[in-house]
Amino acid sequence: ISFNSVDSSLSSLKNCQSYINTGMDIATHVALDLVESFNDVEDVNSMENVMLEYAAMDRELNHYMKAIEETVNQIKREKPENIPDLKYLVKEKFTALESKNNDSDLQKNEKYTYFKDQVKEMRNQFRHQSGNDNEAIEQIDEDIAVTQSQMNFICPITQMEMKRPVRNKVCGHTYEEDAILKIIQTRKQQKKKVR
């Protein structure tokens, strides 16, 4: 018995799983941006619900792929004379796997636990930072160092040649001093984190 079409279908399902993983990554980034923007707790909670939905889809997809693989392996082992009803056998195994589902399984999903940890860490970071606004402004001056160069630099913000370039000591990027200071002040006024 040839299982080429089944293998092809499994490959497509694995592609779907990669899309689910990408969706979970995007949901995590959106939630972190929401925390950073001091958005409503409800917005972050809605992203958590999205993550749980993705985890449920991932679990269902895993069960379906496992049911297919087990059925194919069973047929290869038993080598029946007549080809059995694959659809029925897969559905039977899938139903058995799904019947063991528990909501707590979803919260054990690797990407979901990562999401929870990142959101918690970001919230703690913001609580800690909001009390240190004056210190943060002083630290901005320490994080920017004036640089000198003989080359002509184009500022990534203004897209013009820099007259007073400054370099961020943390990341090493170089900017026009007035432009980067204006962005920093704007983000501070909007109560957003300065990266």
Side-chain angles (χ1 to χ4, degrees), residues 120-179:
K120 182 179 178 182
E121 189 177 312
M122 181 71 91
R123 282 180 170 150
N124 288 340
Q125 187 178 349
F126 269 91
R127 272 189 219 112
H128 191 22
Q129 276 185 351
S130 64
N132 299 335
D133 272 349
N134 291 336
E135 287 177 31
I137 292 168
E138 289 170 17
Q139 190 176 358
I140 289 169
D141 291 338
E142 291 173 18
D143 287 345
I144 298 176
V146 176
T147 61
Q148 291 182 348
S149 175
Q150 306 228 336
M151 296 172 62
N152 291 336
F153 280 50
I154 301 297
C155 173
I157 299 167
T158 64
Q159 297 298 309
M160 298 177 70
E161 185 179 330
M162 291 185 274
K163 303 213 182 334
R164 292 195 50 178
V166 292
R167 181 180 54 83
N168 185 318
K169 288 192 285 187
V170 177
C171 67
H173 292 110
T174 306
Y175 307 96
E176 176 63 43
E177 183 179 33
D178 292 339

Side-chain angles (χ1 to χ4, degrees), residues 15-176:
N15 263 350
C16 289
Q17 199 164 35
S18 74
Y19 296 138
I20 290 172
N21 286 329
T22 301
M24 291 179 98
D25 290 340
I26 291 169
T28 300
H29 290 300
V30 169
L32 294 177
D33 286 345
L34 290 170
V35 172
E36 184 179 359
S37 306
F38 291 95
N39 271 39
D40 203 312
V41 174
E42 279 182 38
D43 291 338
V44 177
N45 288 345
S46 72
M47 293 315 298
E48 184 174 347
N49 291 334
V50 167
M51 288 296 287
L52 288 170
E53 287 175 31
Y54 273 127
M57 284 189 279
D58 187 55
R59 177 179 64 188
E60 186 176 347
L61 202 54
N62 279 328
H63 286 168
Y64 195 66
M65 288 189 297
K66 187 174 181 181
I68 292 170
E69 287 167 352
E70 285 179 3
T71 302
V72 167
N73 289 336
Q74 178 186 344
I75 291 170
K76 284 180 179 177
R77 268 192 325 270
E78 295 172 0
K79 298 178 182 171
E81 286 184 28
N82 297 324
I83 299 173
D85 185 346
L86 289 176
K87 189 175 178 181
Y88 173 78
L89 290 174
V90 168
K91 187 175 182 181
E92 197 175 57
K93 289 187 187 306
F94 174 74
T95 304
L97 289 167
E98 284 284 291
S99 69
K100 297 174 186 170
N101 284 352
N102 189 332
D103 285 346
S104 66
D105 296 346
L106 300 179
Q107 295 176 1
K108 293 175 189 169
N109 178 289
E110 186 181 329
K111 294 237 181 221
Y112 176 77
T113 55
Y114 176 78
F115 167 89
K116 292 291 283 181
D117 292 344
Q118 291 298 303
V119 168
K120 182 179 178 182
E121 189 177 312
M122 181 71 91
R123 282 180 170 150
N124 288 340
Q125 187 178 349
F126 269 91
R127 272 189 219 112
H128 191 22
Q129 276 185 351
S130 64
N132 299 335
D133 272 349
N134 291 336
E135 287 177 31
I137 292 168
E138 289 170 17
Q139 190 176 358
I140 289 169
D141 291 338
E142 291 173 18
D143 287 345
I144 298 176
V146 176
T147 61
Q148 291 182 348
S149 175
Q150 306 228 336
M151 296 172 62
N152 291 336
F153 280 50
I154 301 297
C155 173
I157 299 167
T158 64
Q159 297 298 309
M160 298 177 70
E161 185 179 330
M162 291 185 274
K163 303 213 182 334
R164 292 195 50 178
V166 292
R167 181 180 54 83
N168 185 318
K169 288 192 285 187
V170 177
C171 67
H173 292 110
T174 306
Y175 307 96
E176 176 63 43

